[in-house]
Amino acid sequence: MATTLLSSSGFAEAGTKPESSRVAEIAARPSKPGTTTVAEIRSRPNTIHSALVGRDRRNRRTCRSTAYHFQSVVWHLGKVKKRSIQIKSVDLWKQGGREVFFGSLKMLRGTDGKQIWLKQHWEIPRYRPSRLKITKFKVNKTVPVRPNKAIQLHVNWLDGGKPRERGDCYGDQLFIFQLKPGRHTHEEG
C-alpha cells in the first residue's frame, strides 16, 4: 500500500541533492509511514508537534473523495535528558474523510523496543468524519533512550471501504511517531 508522508523532510533544501534524486531516494525507502521528532535537551516542560502523516487515496480514479486520513502527535514533555525523556501526555490529532477505528496505541522504549504503555481499542474513541479531532492520553512515564534509538508511538487504525470501492482505497494502517533527544527541536528527514 502506498502512503503519503506530508512533512518538510521530503523536500529538497538549499545545498542538498537535486530534487529528482531526492524524490527517487524517498520513493525507494520502505513504506513505513511515520515521522521522527527531535526534542531539545532541557529541564523545563516542553510541547512539541510532530509532522503530519497520512494516507491519501483521493487522487485515484477508483477511490472516492473520502479516501484519506491524516494524523499528527503533540508530545507534552517534562525533563528531556540525553538518556531519558519524561513524557507527561500525548495528543493524537486526526482528520479524514471516513470513519476510522483504532486498534491500539502503544509506546515502545528507546533502548530495547520493549512496550511500556498501551491503550486498547475500547479506550480510544473512533474517528467520525468532520473537522480536526484531538484525543488526549496521559502517559506520565520517564522513558530511557539511547543515541540513534528513538521512543516510538505506534498508532494502528482501520478505515472501512465504501460499496463498489477497490481494496486499495481502504484498509488497516500503522503510523509510527518517533521521539528522541537532541540539541534543538526539529523534524528529521
Side-chain angles (χ1 to χ4, degrees):
M1 285 186 173
T3 56
T4 305
L5 174 63
L6 300 175
S7 118
S8 61
S9 62
F11 299 107
E13 298 171 4
T16 62
K17 296 179 181 180
E19 181 68 24
S20 59
S21 66
R22 178 84 170 134
V23 170
E25 178 186 314
I26 291 168
R29 291 181 189 163
S31 180
K32 271 192 179 177
T35 184
T36 300
T37 306
V38 177
E40 178 184 2
I41 296 173
R42 62 194 253 180
S43 58
R44 298 183 316 269
N46 197 1
T47 299
I48 300 172
H49 296 256
S50 76
L52 184 67
V53 176
R55 185 175 71 181
D56 192 355
R57 305 281 169 81
R58 293 176 288 186
N59 60 349
R60 296 183 179 188
R61 289 183 329 178
T62 58
C63 300
R64 296 186 181 197
S65 63
T66 59
Y68 70 98
H69 187 75
F70 300 108
Q71 295 177 5
S72 179
V73 169
V74 176
W75 303 89
H76 298 280
L77 308 175
K79 190 179 283 191
V80 178
K81 298 180 183 177
K82 191 174 184 178
R83 300 273 184 207
S84 68
I85 299 176
Q86 180 186 13
I87 302 173
K88 294 181 176 183
S89 63
V90 293
D91 299 345
L92 180 62
W93 294 29
K94 45 203 179 293
Q95 186 168 9
R98 54 179 62 167
E99 190 170 36
V100 171
F101 299 91
F102 290 89
S104 67
L105 263 74
K106 65 181 176 180
M107 192 172 296
L108 307 177
R109 225 169 21 199
T111 52
D112 57 6
K114 182 179 177 185
Q115 179 180 302
I116 56 157
W117 181 82
L118 174 70
K119 288 290 177 188
Q120 295 287 356
H121 63 90
W122 60 83
E123 300 174 280
I124 308 167
R126 74 177 120 176
Y127 172 79
R128 291 199 167 90
S130 67
R131 297 182 184 163
L132 176 69
K133 294 270 174 100
I134 301 170
T135 308
K136 299 176 183 293
F137 299 97
K138 291 276 186 210
V139 178
N140 290 327
K141 300 248 183 219
T142 300
V143 185
V145 292
R146 285 191 189 145
N148 300 323
K149 290 278 192 172
I151 297 166
Q152 294 187 355
L153 178 66
H154 289 207
V155 181
N156 295 295
W157 60 275
L158 167 72
D159 68 341
K162 300 291 182 183
R164 296 179 302 284
E165 190 173 45
R166 289 181 43 162
D168 61 349
C169 298
Y170 60 92
D172 61 338
Q173 187 75 51
L174 168 67
F175 287 164
I176 301 173
F177 296 93
Q178 298 185 99
L179 178 68
K180 63 185 187 178
R183 293 181 63 199
H184 59 279
T185 300
H186 65 280
E187 288 295 316
E188 275 193 350

